[in-house]
Amino acid sequence: MSPSKTEASQEPGELSVGARWRLLGVLLAAMFMSLVSVSIVNVVLPSIGSTLQASEADMQWVLAGYALTFGVVLVAAGRAGDLLGRGVMFVAGVAIFTAASILAGLAADPMLLNIARFIMGIGSGLLNPQVMGMIQQHFRGAARGRAYGLLGTVVGFSVAVGPVLGGLLINWLGADAGWRSTFLINVPVGILAIVLALLWLPKPLFTKPSGKLDLDPVGGIVLALSIFALLLPFVQGRENPALWWLLAAAVVLLAVWVLWEKKYKDRGREPMVELALFKIRSFTNGTLIAGLYFMGVSSVWVLVAVYVQASQGFTALEAGLICLPAALLSAFSSHIAGRYATTLGRKLVIGGTLSALFGLLATIAVVFFEDRLGLNVWWMLLSLAFIGIAQGFIISPNQALTLMEVPVANSGSAGGLMQTSQRVGTAVGIAVITAVFYGLNHIAGYSVAMELSFVAISLLVVATLLVAVADMRHGHGKPAVSTREEYVPVTTGVQHTANGANDVAGPKEPSQPVDSQP
């Protein structure tokens, strides 16, 4: 059999196979750095509070400040990467994140620490959409599934190693030097990622638009304000109930943003977000799946950490260890799912939701029998493992499937939208479900609070399952993609999808960076 075009010759502007995987290595190193920094903080908060004399509000802002700025800049950062070059935005994000990590590690008081965390959120928000955009841009067919699988492996491993590493650093270096080192360890990783990015990312990193640069600043500001108004009550509403009025402002601002984007396009301009993306059913369903799943399962790890420490007397390190097998299995299942994302499609996501439901129900049973019959709580190692497996089968395949039919020129903003749904889902879920947990705990104790909170999470996972089944029934269960690495050109006037199978709604002459495939 004669070799295919992609195997026999190198298309102009296409990266070689080796260059693609080197590129992925740089992207994954930066993602690992940013994600470990999230999971490691939960364990070291008590040490921060004792050494900096931080109040509970100060410590909550260590978490909330990062989440807010990260969620607010995601879509705008994706749009900027689409227009100015994903490479330059990626390097800028890593540089900002690394510099802010130094500031956090050297912070002398809670105010400086929280300023550093705000800046870290900006850096992470800048780099994350570029990772999605460059995977979408430079990987095709089965290779894209493997790339997302490796991304999921890194996500799972970073979540697993973060709490354990934080506990070890505290035990080894003491409270003050321990929590500072959890930020300073980002510095060598960040510097290495910047150096390798400058060497290995496609050139040029910065793309000067051929026409007038149109970043839609008004649309960006209105969307950022709406996301901020939506997130702030869920991360700070418990301390300041008056903030819940911001939800009404968020709805109004979101409606204003949609109207602005429509008018902006009608005037012949390029809006910040191509609203026609939501006509792509796989993108809309996948974004909804991401939001619902993160709204539920993100709370699992928070509740488990609180329950085993407050009710069972676990140390921070033991609390990290009880979730370790689940996180490692998440990394492993992500790797496996990456091989089959383009062939099994939504069946993987459906299987993952079923595994999550089983794990949730099994954990409820462990808590029930521990409280009534004295069952050892370490049985959670097994029940939570099913939720870890589900993470790998849901998150990475859903990312690949959600962006599968998105035009390459819009992949940055589309990836930003999907991640924004995850951030909003996480903030809403943690706020609501932890409020249920603490409220029930005051009435009926930790065990009943844990059981009923997990029931609420299970209902959200069932909703995720229903959307995934509906998407599969509409023909997105098994994407029609090649099993080899394809090269799909994007020509003027035709907006090809990621799998090259059909045309979709979108700008017909996208402002596409020079370093993208022609």
Side-chain angles (χ1 to χ4, degrees):
M1 182 170 64
S2 61
S4 67
K5 181 179 179 181
T6 54
E7 295 164 341
S9 62
Q10 184 74 31
E11 294 284 352
E14 183 187 9
L15 294 180
S16 67
V17 173
R20 269 181 256 168
W21 294 106
R22 286 194 297 271
L23 165 67
L24 184 65
V26 178
L27 302 179
L28 295 185
M31 286 291 286
F32 177 80
M33 173 185 69
S34 66
L35 292 170
V36 165
S37 186
V38 174
S39 62
I40 205 171
V41 168
N42 295 328
V43 174
V44 302
L45 279 178
S47 298
I48 292 173
S50 62
T51 58
L52 291 185
Q53 287 77 51
S55 66
E56 289 187 5
D58 290 329
M59 289 189 289
Q60 180 156 358
W61 272 110
V62 173
L63 300 175
Y66 180 92
L68 280 172
T69 52
F70 179 58
V72 164
V73 304
L74 274 170
V75 180
R79 168 68 171 168
D82 289 340
L83 292 180
L84 299 176
R86 298 180 181 110
V88 69
M89 298 303 296
F90 175 82
V91 172
V94 175
I96 291 171
F97 189 92
T98 304
S101 296
I102 297 174
L103 180 61
L106 301 179
D109 55 59
M111 176 68 75
L112 283 176
L113 177 59
N114 281 314
I115 290 173
R117 287 291 287 174
F118 271 97
I119 300 172
M120 288 176 72
I122 293 172
S124 188
L126 287 175
L127 73 89
N128 267 268
Q130 318 316 325
V131 174
M132 300 293 185
M134 282 192 269
I135 290 176
Q136 189 79 356
Q137 178 178 334
H138 295 292
F139 289 83
R140 300 286 183 263
R144 180 178 295 159
R146 292 197 297 275
Y148 276 117
L150 288 170
L151 175 61
T153 301
V154 168
V155 171
F157 183 70
S158 63
V159 170
V161 77
V164 177
L165 180 59
L168 289 174
L169 288 172
I170 295 293
N171 289 343
W172 179 34
L173 299 175
D176 187 61
W179 76 257
R180 294 180 186 280
S181 66
T182 62
F183 294 109
L184 294 176
I185 58 174
N186 294 329
V187 178
V189 180
I191 292 173
L192 179 63
I194 292 171
V195 171
L196 293 181
L198 294 174
L199 291 174
W200 289 347
L201 261 60
K203 303 300 186 295
L205 295 179
F206 175 76
T207 299
K208 185 176 181 180
S210 56
K212 182 180 178 181
L213 180 62
D214 192 354
L215 285 173
D216 185 14
V218 174
I221 292 170
V222 174
L223 180 60
L225 289 174
S226 67
I227 294 171
F228 183 83
L230 178 61
L231 288 177
L232 186 60
F234 287 103
V235 298
Q236 285 288 293
R238 194 177 300 167
E239 285 70 31
N240 187 358
L243 290 175
W244 291 105
W245 288 101
L246 284 176
L247 291 180
V251 173
V252 172
L253 286 168
L254 193 59
V256 170
W257 175 73
V258 171
L259 291 173
W260 171 265
E261 294 295 276
K262 289 180 178 179
K263 296 286 187 182
Y264 202 70
K265 185 175 182 181
D266 291 343
R267 287 157 47 192
R269 309 291 293 275
E270 288 191 23
M272 178 185 182
V273 173
E274 176 55 62
L275 296 179
L277 287 171
F278 291 101
K279 295 179 181 178
I280 305 171
R281 191 183 294 271
S282 58
F283 173 75
T284 302
N285 287 341
T287 302
L288 183 57
I289 286 170
L292 287 170
Y293 182 76
F294 275 79
M295 192 181 297
V297 175
S298 295
S299 301
V300 166
W301 317 111
V302 177
L303 295 185
V304 169
V306 172
Y307 176 74
V308 297
Q309 290 182 82
S311 176
Q312 306 296 314
F314 278 29
T315 65
L317 181 58
E318 289 172 328
L321 289 174
I322 202 168
C323 299
L324 182 60
L328 292 176
L329 284 169
S330 171
F332 177 73
S333 61
S334 293
H335 181 68
I336 298 299
R339 298 181 182 179
Y340 301 104
T342 56
T343 54
L344 294 179
R346 287 286 180 223
K347 292 179 181 177
L348 277 174
V349 178
I350 292 171
T353 55
L354 292 174
S355 177
L357 279 173
F358 181 82
L360 290 166
L361 295 175
T363 304
I364 292 171
V366 170
V367 173
F368 180 87
F369 288 114
E370 183 278 328
D371 183 53
R372 280 84 173 173
L373 300 176
L375 183 71
N376 194 316
V377 76
W378 283 99
W379 277 100
M380 275 192 190
L381 287 169
L382 180 59
S383 64
L384 294 174
F386 287 94
I387 304 176
I389 293 170
Q391 299 268 101
F393 283 147
I394 294 172
I395 297 174
S396 294
N398 185 60
Q399 288 172 338
L401 296 167
T402 301
L403 299 177
M404 189 68 70
E405 296 181 288
V406 170
V408 171
N410 301 116
S411 57
S413 56
L417 282 170
M418 186 180 67
Q419 288 188 307
T420 299
S421 75
Q422 295 174 355
R423 295 308 102 210
V424 171
T426 298
V428 172
I430 288 178
V432 173
I433 292 174
T434 55
V436 170
F437 175 81
Y438 286 117
L440 289 170
N441 178 49
H442 288 306
I443 298 171
Y446 279 111
S447 295
V448 173
M450 188 74 165
E451 292 159 13
L452 294 181
S453 296
F454 267 55
V455 169
I457 295 171
S458 299
L459 294 176
L460 288 167
V461 173
V462 169
T464 306
L465 174 63
L466 294 175
V467 177
V469 170
D471 190 60
M472 187 175 70
R473 287 181 175 177
H474 281 96
H476 301 119
K478 184 176 178 181
V481 297
S482 171
T483 56
R484 62 182 172 82
E485 296 186 27
E486 297 175 323
Y487 171 75
V488 182
V490 178
T491 57
T492 302
V494 178
Q495 191 68 279
H496 285 288
T497 64
N499 61 19
N502 50 355
D503 298 334
V504 296
K508 292 302 180 182
E509 295 183 3
S511 298
Q512 198 164 324
V514 170
D515 67 344
S516 64
Q517 297 173 353

mmCIF file of all heavy atoms in Angstrom, residues 292-329:
data_model
loop_
_atom_site.group_PDB
_atom_site.id
_atom_site.type_symbol
_atom_site.label_atom_id
_atom_site.label_comp_id
_atom_site.label_asym_id
_atom_site.label_seq_id
_atom_site.Cartn_x
_atom_site.Cartn_y
_atom_site.Cartn_z
ATOM 1 N N LEU A 292 -21.734 20.668 34.371
ATOM 2 C CA LEU A 292 -22.486 19.842 35.309
ATOM 3 C C LEU A 292 -21.572 18.901 36.093
ATOM 4 O O LEU A 292 -21.715 18.739 37.310
ATOM 5 C CB LEU A 292 -23.544 19.029 34.556
ATOM 6 C CG LEU A 292 -24.757 19.800 34.031
ATOM 7 C CD1 LEU A 292 -25.585 18.913 33.107
ATOM 8 C CD2 LEU A 292 -25.617 20.317 35.191
ATOM 9 N N TYR A 293 -20.636 18.277 35.381
ATOM 10 C CA TYR A 293 -19.764 17.312 36.053
ATOM 11 C C TYR A 293 -18.886 18.004 37.093
ATOM 12 O O TYR A 293 -18.759 17.532 38.226
ATOM 13 C CB TYR A 293 -18.905 16.580 35.025
ATOM 14 C CG TYR A 293 -18.014 15.542 35.658
ATOM 15 C CD1 TYR A 293 -18.540 14.330 36.087
ATOM 16 C CD2 TYR A 293 -16.655 15.777 35.852
ATOM 17 C CE1 TYR A 293 -17.737 13.373 36.683
ATOM 18 C CE2 TYR A 293 -15.846 14.833 36.448
ATOM 19 C CZ TYR A 293 -16.386 13.630 36.859
ATOM 20 O OH TYR A 293 -15.582 12.690 37.462
ATOM 21 N N PHE A 294 -18.290 19.135 36.718
ATOM 22 C CA PHE A 294 -17.438 19.841 37.671
ATOM 23 C C PHE A 294 -18.264 20.418 38.822
ATOM 24 O O PHE A 294 -17.759 20.539 39.945
ATOM 25 C CB PHE A 294 -16.653 20.943 36.959
ATOM 26 C CG PHE A 294 -15.379 20.454 36.329
ATOM 27 C CD1 PHE A 294 -15.402 19.785 35.114
ATOM 28 C CD2 PHE A 294 -14.164 20.651 36.943
ATOM 29 C CE1 PHE A 294 -14.240 19.322 34.535
ATOM 30 C CE2 PHE A 294 -12.988 20.189 36.380
ATOM 31 C CZ PHE A 294 -13.013 19.521 35.166
ATOM 32 N N MET A 295 -19.509 20.787 38.558
ATOM 33 C CA MET A 295 -20.379 21.288 39.622
ATOM 34 C C MET A 295 -20.583 20.232 40.699
ATOM 35 O O MET A 295 -20.698 20.547 41.889
ATOM 36 C CB MET A 295 -21.731 21.706 39.036
ATOM 37 C CG MET A 295 -22.608 22.498 39.996
ATOM 38 S SD MET A 295 -24.201 22.946 39.254
ATOM 39 C CE MET A 295 -23.656 24.004 37.915
ATOM 40 N N GLY A 296 -20.610 18.979 40.301
ATOM 41 C CA GLY A 296 -20.812 17.915 41.265
ATOM 42 C C GLY A 296 -19.525 17.367 41.855
ATOM 43 O O GLY A 296 -19.259 17.496 43.057
ATOM 44 N N VAL A 297 -18.681 16.802 41.004
ATOM 45 C CA VAL A 297 -17.567 15.983 41.496
ATOM 46 C C VAL A 297 -16.440 16.809 42.112
ATOM 47 O O VAL A 297 -15.693 16.298 42.948
ATOM 48 C CB VAL A 297 -17.058 15.071 40.359
ATOM 49 C CG1 VAL A 297 -15.829 14.282 40.784
ATOM 50 C CG2 VAL A 297 -18.161 14.100 39.947
ATOM 51 N N SER A 298 -16.316 18.090 41.737
ATOM 52 C CA SER A 298 -15.266 18.909 42.354
ATOM 53 C C SER A 298 -15.427 18.975 43.874
ATOM 54 O O SER A 298 -14.441 19.114 44.612
ATOM 55 C CB SER A 298 -15.295 20.327 41.780
ATOM 56 O OG SER A 298 -14.963 20.328 40.411
ATOM 57 N N SER A 299 -16.654 18.880 44.360
ATOM 58 C CA SER A 299 -16.904 18.951 45.800
ATOM 59 C C SER A 299 -16.503 17.676 46.534
ATOM 60 O O SER A 299 -16.322 17.704 47.759
ATOM 61 C CB SER A 299 -18.393 19.227 46.058
ATOM 62 O OG SER A 299 -18.793 20.433 45.466
ATOM 63 N N VAL A 300 -16.374 16.574 45.812
ATOM 64 C CA VAL A 300 -16.064 15.296 46.464
ATOM 65 C C VAL A 300 -14.787 15.404 47.283
ATOM 66 O O VAL A 300 -14.727 15.028 48.460
ATOM 67 C CB VAL A 300 -15.933 14.175 45.412
ATOM 68 C CG1 VAL A 300 -15.277 12.935 46.021
ATOM 69 C CG2 VAL A 300 -17.299 13.824 44.843
ATOM 70 N N TRP A 301 -13.742 15.948 46.659
ATOM 71 C CA TRP A 301 -12.438 15.950 47.305
ATOM 72 C C TRP A 301 -12.393 16.938 48.463
ATOM 73 O O TRP A 301 -11.691 16.707 49.454
ATOM 74 C CB TRP A 301 -11.359 16.251 46.258
ATOM 75 C CG TRP A 301 -11.631 15.489 45.000
ATOM 76 C CD1 TRP A 301 -12.022 15.982 43.793
ATOM 77 C CD2 TRP A 301 -11.596 14.058 44.846
ATOM 78 N NE1 TRP A 301 -12.223 14.964 42.897
ATOM 79 C CE2 TRP A 301 -11.967 13.770 43.508
ATOM 80 C CE3 TRP A 301 -11.281 12.999 45.689
ATOM 81 C CZ2 TRP A 301 -12.033 12.484 42.997
ATOM 82 C CZ3 TRP A 301 -11.342 11.707 45.192
ATOM 83 C CH2 TRP A 301 -11.713 11.464 43.865
ATOM 84 N N VAL A 302 -13.148 18.016 48.366
ATOM 85 C CA VAL A 302 -13.244 18.967 49.473
ATOM 86 C C VAL A 302 -13.950 18.313 50.653
ATOM 87 O O VAL A 302 -13.482 18.385 51.800
ATOM 88 C CB VAL A 302 -13.996 20.240 49.036
ATOM 89 C CG1 VAL A 302 -14.168 21.192 50.214
ATOM 90 C CG2 VAL A 302 -13.269 20.934 47.900
ATOM 91 N N LEU A 303 -15.081 17.649 50.396
ATOM 92 C CA LEU A 303 -15.851 17.027 51.476
ATOM 93 C C LEU A 303 -15.084 15.886 52.136
ATOM 94 O O LEU A 303 -15.115 15.736 53.365
ATOM 95 C CB LEU A 303 -17.185 16.511 50.937
ATOM 96 C CG LEU A 303 -18.171 17.559 50.416
ATOM 97 C CD1 LEU A 303 -19.487 16.891 50.032
ATOM 98 C CD2 LEU A 303 -18.416 18.650 51.437
ATOM 99 N N VAL A 304 -14.400 15.087 51.334
ATOM 100 C CA VAL A 304 -13.628 13.976 51.901
ATOM 101 C C VAL A 304 -12.534 14.504 52.824
ATOM 102 O O VAL A 304 -12.327 13.995 53.937
ATOM 103 C CB VAL A 304 -13.025 13.100 50.784
ATOM 104 C CG1 VAL A 304 -12.003 12.117 51.355
ATOM 105 C CG2 VAL A 304 -14.123 12.336 50.054
ATOM 106 N N ALA A 305 -11.820 15.559 52.377
ATOM 107 C CA ALA A 305 -10.748 16.131 53.200
ATOM 108 C C ALA A 305 -11.291 16.670 54.519
ATOM 109 O O ALA A 305 -10.702 16.450 55.595
ATOM 110 C CB ALA A 305 -10.030 17.233 52.420
ATOM 111 N N VAL A 306 -12.435 17.370 54.468
ATOM 112 C CA VAL A 306 -13.041 17.911 55.693
ATOM 113 C C VAL A 306 -13.519 16.772 56.595
ATOM 114 O O VAL A 306 -13.273 16.771 57.809
ATOM 115 C CB VAL A 306 -14.211 18.850 55.346
ATOM 116 C CG1 VAL A 306 -14.968 19.246 56.609
ATOM 117 C CG2 VAL A 306 -13.701 20.090 54.618
ATOM 118 N N TYR A 307 -14.184 15.785 56.012
ATOM 119 C CA TYR A 307 -14.777 14.705 56.789
ATOM 120 C C TYR A 307 -13.721 13.887 57.527
ATOM 121 O O TYR A 307 -13.850 13.635 58.740
ATOM 122 C CB TYR A 307 -15.595 13.803 55.864
ATOM 123 C CG TYR A 307 -16.186 12.593 56.558
ATOM 124 C CD1 TYR A 307 -17.278 12.725 57.408
ATOM 125 C CD2 TYR A 307 -15.633 11.327 56.370
ATOM 126 C CE1 TYR A 307 -17.820 11.618 58.053
ATOM 127 C CE2 TYR A 307 -16.164 10.218 57.010
ATOM 128 C CZ TYR A 307 -17.253 10.365 57.853
ATOM 129 O OH TYR A 307 -17.779 9.274 58.494
ATOM 130 N N VAL A 308 -12.672 13.460 56.817
ATOM 131 C CA VAL A 308 -11.695 12.572 57.463
ATOM 132 C C VAL A 308 -10.854 13.314 58.496
ATOM 133 O O VAL A 308 -10.385 12.712 59.467
ATOM 134 C CB VAL A 308 -10.788 11.880 56.421
ATOM 135 C CG1 VAL A 308 -11.606 10.987 55.514
ATOM 136 C CG2 VAL A 308 -9.976 12.892 55.623
ATOM 137 N N GLN A 309 -10.669 14.637 58.316
ATOM 138 C CA GLN A 309 -9.886 15.387 59.309
ATOM 139 C C GLN A 309 -10.746 15.798 60.509
ATOM 140 O O GLN A 309 -10.323 15.658 61.657
ATOM 141 C CB GLN A 309 -9.266 16.623 58.655
ATOM 142 C CG GLN A 309 -8.154 16.281 57.664
ATOM 143 C CD GLN A 309 -7.509 17.512 57.048
ATOM 144 O OE1 GLN A 309 -6.631 18.129 57.634
ATOM 145 N NE2 GLN A 309 -7.946 17.867 55.854
ATOM 146 N N ALA A 310 -11.965 16.289 60.250
ATOM 147 C CA ALA A 310 -12.815 16.771 61.343
ATOM 148 C C ALA A 310 -13.489 15.639 62.103
ATOM 149 O O ALA A 310 -13.633 15.695 63.327
ATOM 150 C CB ALA A 310 -13.868 17.724 60.785
ATOM 151 N N SER A 311 -13.909 14.596 61.363
ATOM 152 C CA SER A 311 -14.662 13.518 61.997
ATOM 153 C C SER A 311 -13.785 12.346 62.431
ATOM 154 O O SER A 311 -14.057 11.713 63.448
ATOM 155 C CB SER A 311 -15.749 13.022 61.040
ATOM 156 O OG SER A 311 -16.441 11.915 61.571
ATOM 157 N N GLN A 312 -12.732 12.069 61.638
ATOM 158 C CA GLN A 312 -11.913 10.884 61.903
ATOM 159 C C GLN A 312 -10.543 11.214 62.507
ATOM 160 O O GLN A 312 -9.792 10.306 62.839
ATOM 161 C CB GLN A 312 -11.712 10.101 60.602
ATOM 162 C CG GLN A 312 -12.998 9.734 59.888
ATOM 163 C CD GLN A 312 -13.863 8.795 60.699
ATOM 164 O OE1 GLN A 312 -13.372 7.819 61.255
ATOM 165 N NE2 GLN A 312 -15.156 9.084 60.785
ATOM 166 N N GLY A 313 -10.201 12.512 62.574
ATOM 167 C CA GLY A 313 -8.930 12.901 63.172
ATOM 168 C C GLY A 313 -7.721 12.668 62.302
ATOM 169 O O GLY A 313 -6.598 12.551 62.811
ATOM 170 N N PHE A 314 -7.902 12.621 60.995
ATOM 171 C CA PHE A 314 -6.781 12.416 60.079
ATOM 172 C C PHE A 314 -5.886 13.654 60.053
ATOM 173 O O PHE A 314 -6.333 14.781 60.252
ATOM 174 C CB PHE A 314 -7.284 12.151 58.658
ATOM 175 C CG PHE A 314 -7.693 10.724 58.408
ATOM 176 C CD1 PHE A 314 -8.176 9.922 59.424
ATOM 177 C CD2 PHE A 314 -7.607 10.186 57.133
ATOM 178 C CE1 PHE A 314 -8.566 8.617 59.184
ATOM 179 C CE2 PHE A 314 -7.984 8.886 56.881
ATOM 180 C CZ PHE A 314 -8.468 8.091 57.905
ATOM 181 N N THR A 315 -4.592 13.434 59.787
ATOM 182 C CA THR A 315 -3.688 14.548 59.507
ATOM 183 C C THR A 315 -3.870 14.991 58.055
ATOM 184 O O THR A 315 -4.529 14.313 57.259
ATOM 185 C CB THR A 315 -2.226 14.129 59.704
ATOM 186 O OG1 THR A 315 -1.887 13.123 58.728
ATOM 187 C CG2 THR A 315 -1.999 13.580 61.109
ATOM 188 N N ALA A 316 -3.252 16.141 57.696
ATOM 189 C CA ALA A 316 -3.342 16.631 56.322
ATOM 190 C C ALA A 316 -2.727 15.630 55.353
ATOM 191 O O ALA A 316 -3.249 15.402 54.250
ATOM 192 C CB ALA A 316 -2.647 17.990 56.206
ATOM 193 N N LEU A 317 -1.618 15.005 55.752
ATOM 194 C CA LEU A 317 -0.966 14.034 54.877
ATOM 195 C C LEU A 317 -1.845 12.802 54.682
ATOM 196 O O LEU A 317 -1.977 12.291 53.561
ATOM 197 C CB LEU A 317 0.389 13.627 55.461
ATOM 198 C CG LEU A 317 1.212 12.631 54.640
ATOM 199 C CD1 LEU A 317 1.482 13.169 53.244
ATOM 200 C CD2 LEU A 317 2.528 12.309 55.361
ATOM 201 N N GLU A 318 -2.484 12.323 55.762
ATOM 202 C CA GLU A 318 -3.382 11.178 55.650
ATOM 203 C C GLU A 318 -4.585 11.511 54.772
ATOM 204 O O GLU A 318 -5.053 10.668 54.000
ATOM 205 C CB GLU A 318 -3.853 10.726 57.038
ATOM 206 C CG GLU A 318 -2.776 10.070 57.864
ATOM 207 C CD GLU A 318 -3.214 9.817 59.295
ATOM 208 O OE1 GLU A 318 -4.019 10.616 59.824
ATOM 209 O OE2 GLU A 318 -2.753 8.826 59.895
ATOM 210 N N ALA A 319 -5.081 12.763 54.882
ATOM 211 C CA ALA A 319 -6.199 13.177 54.032
ATOM 212 C C ALA A 319 -5.803 13.164 52.561
ATOM 213 O O ALA A 319 -6.615 12.825 51.696
ATOM 214 C CB ALA A 319 -6.672 14.578 54.435
ATOM 215 N N GLY A 320 -4.556 13.534 52.285
ATOM 216 C CA GLY A 320 -4.074 13.458 50.908
ATOM 217 C C GLY A 320 -3.912 12.031 50.439
ATOM 218 O O GLY A 320 -4.234 11.694 49.296
ATOM 219 N N LEU A 321 -3.449 11.172 51.334
ATOM 220 C CA LEU A 321 -3.199 9.779 50.949
ATOM 221 C C LEU A 321 -4.482 9.012 50.659
ATOM 222 O O LEU A 321 -4.493 8.131 49.795
ATOM 223 C CB LEU A 321 -2.410 9.071 52.064
ATOM 224 C CG LEU A 321 -0.948 9.500 52.223
ATOM 225 C CD1 LEU A 321 -0.330 8.828 53.439
ATOM 226 C CD2 LEU A 321 -0.154 9.154 50.961
ATOM 227 N N ILE A 322 -5.585 9.345 51.351
ATOM 228 C CA ILE A 322 -6.819 8.581 51.129
ATOM 229 C C ILE A 322 -7.383 8.843 49.734
ATOM 230 O O ILE A 322 -8.121 8.029 49.178
ATOM 231 C CB ILE A 322 -7.871 8.892 52.218
ATOM 232 C CG1 ILE A 322 -8.883 7.742 52.304
ATOM 233 C CG2 ILE A 322 -8.579 10.214 51.962
ATOM 234 C CD1 ILE A 322 -9.779 7.801 53.515
ATOM 235 N N CYS A 323 -7.011 9.980 49.143
ATOM 236 C CA CYS A 323 -7.442 10.296 47.771
ATOM 237 C C CYS A 323 -6.399 9.943 46.722
ATOM 238 O O CYS A 323 -6.660 10.083 45.519
ATOM 239 C CB CYS A 323 -7.781 11.784 47.657
ATOM 240 S SG CYS A 323 -9.129 12.332 48.719
ATOM 241 N N LEU A 324 -5.224 9.489 47.172
ATOM 242 C CA LEU A 324 -4.128 9.245 46.230
ATOM 243 C C LEU A 324 -4.446 8.164 45.192
ATOM 244 O O LEU A 324 -4.215 8.376 43.997
ATOM 245 C CB LEU A 324 -2.857 8.898 47.006
ATOM 246 C CG LEU A 324 -1.594 8.645 46.165
ATOM 247 C CD1 LEU A 324 -1.239 9.878 45.357
ATOM 248 C CD2 LEU A 324 -0.431 8.247 47.074
ATOM 249 N N PRO A 325 -4.968 6.983 45.577
ATOM 250 C CA PRO A 325 -5.275 5.979 44.545
ATOM 251 C C PRO A 325 -6.273 6.488 43.508
ATOM 252 O O PRO A 325 -6.119 6.195 42.318
ATOM 253 C CB PRO A 325 -5.865 4.813 45.352
ATOM 254 C CG PRO A 325 -5.312 4.979 46.720
ATOM 255 C CD PRO A 325 -5.224 6.457 46.930
ATOM 256 N N ALA A 326 -7.264 7.255 43.945
ATOM 257 C CA ALA A 326 -8.246 7.794 42.996
ATOM 258 C C ALA A 326 -7.570 8.707 41.990
ATOM 259 O O ALA A 326 -7.845 8.644 40.785
ATOM 260 C CB ALA A 326 -9.347 8.551 43.751
ATOM 261 N N ALA A 327 -6.683 9.571 42.466
ATOM 262 C CA ALA A 327 -6.013 10.494 41.557
ATOM 263 C C ALA A 327 -5.077 9.763 40.606
ATOM 264 O O ALA A 327 -4.986 10.099 39.417
ATOM 265 C CB ALA A 327 -5.254 11.545 42.362
ATOM 266 N N LEU A 328 -4.352 8.759 41.102
ATOM 267 C CA LEU A 328 -3.458 7.995 40.226
ATOM 268 C C LEU A 328 -4.249 7.211 39.184
ATOM 269 O O LEU A 328 -3.848 7.117 38.018
ATOM 270 C CB LEU A 328 -2.593 7.055 41.063
ATOM 271 C CG LEU A 328 -1.559 7.733 41.969
ATOM 272 C CD1 LEU A 328 -0.836 6.698 42.816
ATOM 273 C CD2 LEU A 328 -0.560 8.543 41.140
ATOM 274 N N LEU A 329 -5.386 6.646 39.587
ATOM 275 C CA LEU A 329 -6.236 5.936 38.628
ATOM 276 C C LEU A 329 -6.836 6.900 37.618
ATOM 277 O O LEU A 329 -7.068 6.532 36.464
ATOM 278 C CB LEU A 329 -7.342 5.172 39.362
ATOM 279 C CG LEU A 329 -6.885 3.886 40.050
ATOM 280 C CD1 LEU A 329 -7.975 3.343 40.956
ATOM 281 C CD2 LEU A 329 -6.485 2.831 39.013
#
